[in-house]
Amino acid sequence: MNGLVLVVLVAVALAAGYLLYGRWLAHTWGVDPDALTPARRMEDGQSYTPASRFTAFAHQFSSICGAGPVTGTIVAMMFGWLPVLLWVLVGGVFMGAVHDFGALYASMKNNGKSLAQLLEKYVGRTGRRLFLLFSWLFCIIVIAAFTSMVAGTFATVDGPDGLVDFTRSYAGGVAGTISVLFTFVAIAFGWACRRFSLTGVKQFALGCALILGMFAAGMAMPIYLNTVGWVAVVMVYLVFAAAMPIQTLKQPRDYLTVIMMMAMILCAVAGIAVLAFNGQATMTAPMIVDAATFDKLAENGDYIFPVLFVSVACGALSGFHSLVSSNTSSKQLANETDALPVGFGAMVIESFVGVLAIVVAGIMFGDMNTAGTGALNAGVASTPFQIFAAGIARGMTAMSFDNTVATVFMTMNVSALALTSLDAVARIARTSFQEFFFEDKETGEVTVPTSLAGRVVTNVWFSTFLTLAFGLALTFGGYLNIWPLFGASNQLLGGMTMICLAVFCKATGRKGWMLYVPVAFLLVCTFTSLGLSAWGCVTALAADASFATLATKGLQFVFAVLLMVLGVIVARHCLSQLVHCEPGSKPDEAPLWTETGRRNVVSQGLASHESEVVPATDSE
């Protein structure tokens, strides 16, 4: 199979999914171009900040397009590239994009409420804090894993003599320098755009010029630090990314990052095209592995169901995306019509990135061997990220790009894929921690505590430092012990989101039947995966009861059981509400602020929890 033909066919299919199914879904649920969005009604200069369509899209896309669409797809190619491709296409359009758009839409129609608050409103208070605790722990695990990943990408490489090998460390050092510059340049870029009202072409041109300048500066002045040093740098960055107003750092950084990611996608497609014209773009990876390989994988516990659907999350469906959609993106839409390109469109493009990873790995398979874990192995290019980076760099070199420039460009993009999701996760973890301690009111709203202790734990800086402290401890303290369950926990979050959206649709009188199959599939897939993981832990403990096994498999078993209990609790309450609630019994939330009565309210960075309400005037 020619890789270029595959890319073209997939691009057409994804575009059709967006134009046909996405638009139909937006029309069916009802998008009102004349309605005032929460970002406009409740602008507070902290979290609620109306942004242009491209800026909101940039935030959503750069936040969700992390390690998943590259790592998951390439690892899952242990079963062959066709099953992965089909799951990315079907799952991306009919599950993932619906999931992301639905979470964004439901939050937007409820004054920017988070997913936990939506669960409380449409399902009940039971489990809200349990869900927030789950979200916080989930995000801490991601913080630890992605911090380790980014720091490892930037870190110096030692030579045989134990000293730093500056030749092999150059690309990582340059990428690290550019990442540091990104923070300060993004703040200046955001200020300039607001100060001089830069939009459209002018804003885009300035962004491109700044990116080129940062690349030139990075290549001239690489920073060489070891892994510990880069972990410290990443943690300092996360403090400000999680706590500062979103328009100060996160929004402009995401805008610049997405320009670079789009350039990466264009380079990938162009590189595949050049390789195809040179007769070097044949998919040498197996379309479907043979029966003997399937049996061997099954002996190791790698069954195509549910492993394929748990491994490939980002690119097909990822529960983490609902946290981005409902916690941050819904508070930035300036018009309801932006929900479709931001929610549905960003996911479709991420699916395309996943397909590019499949094609790149499939083309390079001829130069590689299949590793025991299913990842492709070729000396230095042994991880999915390295395979992806090496493949695109090969295509860029075929287009006459300098090999050093191509390597640095891809190293920076690889780290950016993880870093932009990392800062979004840090911000979501911080808000989840704050929300856990908010006080429930009889009206169903939650507010900032009035006690001294309550005000301390919900303080934006305190919650940020505490959250990142746990993430830092887990970075060096063994997050890998529970990382094997990340895929299942991520898809469990997706299942909880979809079933909550099903209740939302029925309670507000909207059609929700298109959610029922994804809900059933995700719940069955998740519980099967967790059940197999728990059984595998029990088997391992029975065979080896040593302290080392107890510390790893025992912890995984406890975590798997807790996830299943959480899933059962939330699913039971959601299904009960879905069956018994009256259609239209809980309409969309009335605006807390109106255009003429709007005021700026900053309450610990979470304006939606401010109890004071400005009533609408009679003329409104």
Side-chain angles (χ1 to χ4, degrees):
M1 180 70 178
N2 186 285
L4 180 60
V5 173
L6 199 59
V7 168
V8 172
L9 292 176
V10 166
V12 172
L14 290 175
Y18 175 83
L19 295 174
L20 300 176
Y21 189 58
R23 287 182 175 178
W24 173 83
L25 191 65
H27 175 75
T28 300
W29 283 351
V31 170
D32 185 0
D34 298 322
L36 290 175
T37 62
R40 293 179 60 198
R41 293 195 310 266
M42 304 162 62
E43 184 177 358
D44 63 0
Q46 178 73 21
S47 296
Y48 288 80
T49 305
S52 68
R53 176 175 295 184
F54 183 80
T55 300
F57 168 85
H59 166 74
Q60 176 81 4
F61 178 68
S62 63
S63 296
I64 66 174
C65 193
V70 173
T71 303
T73 51
I74 294 179
V75 169
M77 285 175 68
M78 69 175 91
F79 302 110
W81 61 260
L82 183 60
V84 185
L85 179 70
L86 293 177
W87 168 231
V88 169
L89 282 177
V90 177
V93 173
F94 296 102
M95 295 189 189
V98 175
H99 167 275
D100 294 9
F101 171 71
L104 176 64
Y105 179 81
S107 176
M108 180 181 66
K109 287 296 188 179
N110 285 277
N111 290 310
K113 284 186 179 296
S114 67
L115 184 59
Q117 291 175 288
L118 292 174
L119 275 167
E120 180 175 7
K121 175 180 179 180
Y122 292 106
V123 179
R125 293 187 179 182
T126 302
R128 181 179 75 87
R129 282 185 169 159
L130 185 62
F131 176 82
L132 286 170
L133 180 61
F134 166 75
S135 298
W136 186 65
L137 293 173
F138 175 84
C139 289
I140 285 178
I141 296 173
V142 178
I143 289 172
F146 280 22
T147 297
S148 178
M149 182 187 305
V150 171
T153 302
F154 295 160
T156 54
V157 180
D158 293 337
D161 55 359
L163 301 177
V164 175
D165 185 336
F166 289 101
T167 301
R168 295 170 62 195
S169 302
Y170 178 72
V174 173
T177 302
I178 297 171
S179 293
V180 172
L181 289 174
F182 244 103
T183 303
F184 301 100
V185 171
I187 294 175
F189 173 69
W191 174 85
C193 290
R194 293 189 299 272
R195 175 66 177 79
F196 300 105
S197 301
L198 298 179
T199 58
V201 176
K202 292 181 180 179
Q203 184 181 22
F204 185 80
L206 177 60
C208 292
L210 291 174
I211 290 173
L212 292 175
M214 284 187 288
F215 265 84
M219 294 186 72
M221 299 177 293
I223 298 175
Y224 296 106
L225 297 174
N226 59 19
T227 301
V228 175
W230 279 117
V231 166
V233 172
V234 171
M235 282 294 166
V236 171
Y237 164 71
L238 291 181
V239 169
F240 295 99
M244 293 177 71
I246 199 165
Q247 63 180 350
T248 303
L249 174 57
K250 190 78 175 75
Q251 253 186 15
R253 191 192 190 287
D254 289 339
Y255 186 98
L256 294 173
T257 301
V258 85
I259 293 176
M260 197 164 60
M261 288 185 175
M262 292 302 179
M264 179 194 71
I265 293 173
L266 291 176
C267 286
V269 174
I272 292 171
V274 171
L275 291 175
F277 291 136
N278 294 335
Q280 300 174 339
T282 302
M283 296 282 288
T284 56
M287 182 180 294
I288 302 177
V289 297
D290 54 37
T293 304
F294 269 118
D295 292 339
K296 185 176 180 180
L297 290 170
E299 290 176 3
N300 297 325
D302 293 324
Y303 303 97
I304 192 169
F305 181 88
V307 173
L308 169 63
F309 306 99
V310 171
S311 299
V312 184
C314 295
L317 183 144
S318 172
F320 161 68
H321 295 184
S322 65
L323 301 181
V324 176
S325 295
S326 63
N327 283 52
T328 57
S329 295
S330 63
K331 301 175 178 64
Q332 298 180 54
L333 300 186
N335 192 291
E336 283 197 5
T337 56
D338 295 345
L340 181 61
V342 172
F344 203 100
M347 181 61 216
V348 167
I349 295 181
E350 187 188 40
S351 296
F352 186 67
V353 173
V355 172
L356 288 178
I358 295 170
V359 173
V360 167
I363 292 173
M364 295 189 70
F365 185 86
D367 302 327
M368 304 176 183
N369 298 314
T370 303
T373 60
L376 302 177
N377 189 349
V380 176
S382 58
T383 69
F385 264 138
Q386 289 170 336
I387 295 165
F388 185 65
I392 296 181
R394 177 190 292 184
M396 292 178 66
T397 303
M399 292 188 293
S400 300
F401 278 91
D402 179 79
N403 184 63
T404 300
V405 173
T407 303
V408 168
F409 175 74
M410 281 311 304
T411 301
M412 183 57 222
N413 273 282
V414 162
S415 61
L417 285 170
L419 197 57
T420 52
S421 291
L422 182 56
D423 53 26
V425 168
R427 192 175 188 90
I428 292 168
R430 184 263 293 176
T431 58
S432 296
F433 181 86
Q434 289 178 280
E435 205 173 316
F436 182 85
F437 293 99
F438 285 157
E439 296 177 344
D440 295 316
K441 297 297 182 181
E442 293 298 328
T443 58
E445 292 294 319
V446 290
T447 61
V448 177
T450 56
S451 65
L452 177 61
R455 281 182 286 140
V456 169
V457 296
T458 56
N459 177 269
V460 63
W461 293 103
F462 178 87
S463 55
T464 297
F465 278 112
L466 186 65
T467 295
L468 293 179
F470 276 95
L472 180 61
L474 200 57
T475 299
F476 296 109
Y479 72 90
L480 289 173
N481 290 338
I482 53 178
W483 185 250
L485 295 176
F486 169 79
S489 61
N490 187 29
Q491 298 303 65
L492 175 61
L493 178 57
M496 290 190 290
T497 300
M498 293 292 268
I499 196 170
C500 177
L501 293 177
V503 178
F504 159 76
C505 287
K506 184 176 182 181
T508 56
R510 294 178 170 89
K511 295 178 181 178
W513 55 264
M514 71 290 295
L515 301 171
Y516 297 159
V517 171
V519 165
F521 177 80
L522 285 171
L523 291 180
V524 171
C525 182
T526 298
F527 284 114
T528 301
S529 178
L530 290 173
L532 289 173
S533 297
W535 178 250
C537 291
V538 171
T539 304
L541 288 170
D544 180 12
S546 64
F547 177 79
T549 304
L550 184 63
T552 55
K553 296 300 182 180
L555 183 60
Q556 288 181 29
F557 176 78
V558 171
F559 197 65
V561 172
L562 289 176
L563 286 175
M564 285 189 283
V565 171
L566 171 65
V568 169
I569 291 174
V570 175
R572 183 176 67 84
H573 284 279
C574 286
L575 289 173
S576 177
Q577 285 294 320
L578 185 61
V579 172
H580 296 105
C581 77
E582 292 295 328
S585 59
K586 295 182 180 180
D588 297 336
E589 200 162 294
L592 295 179
W593 280 263
T594 64
E595 184 65 20
T596 59
R598 184 178 62 189
R599 65 171 65 177
N600 288 336
V601 178
V602 181
S603 175
Q604 302 296 331
L606 294 167
S608 65
H609 304 301
E610 175 63 43
S611 58
E612 185 176 5
V613 176
V614 180
T617 62
D618 292 339
S619 61
E620 294 171 323

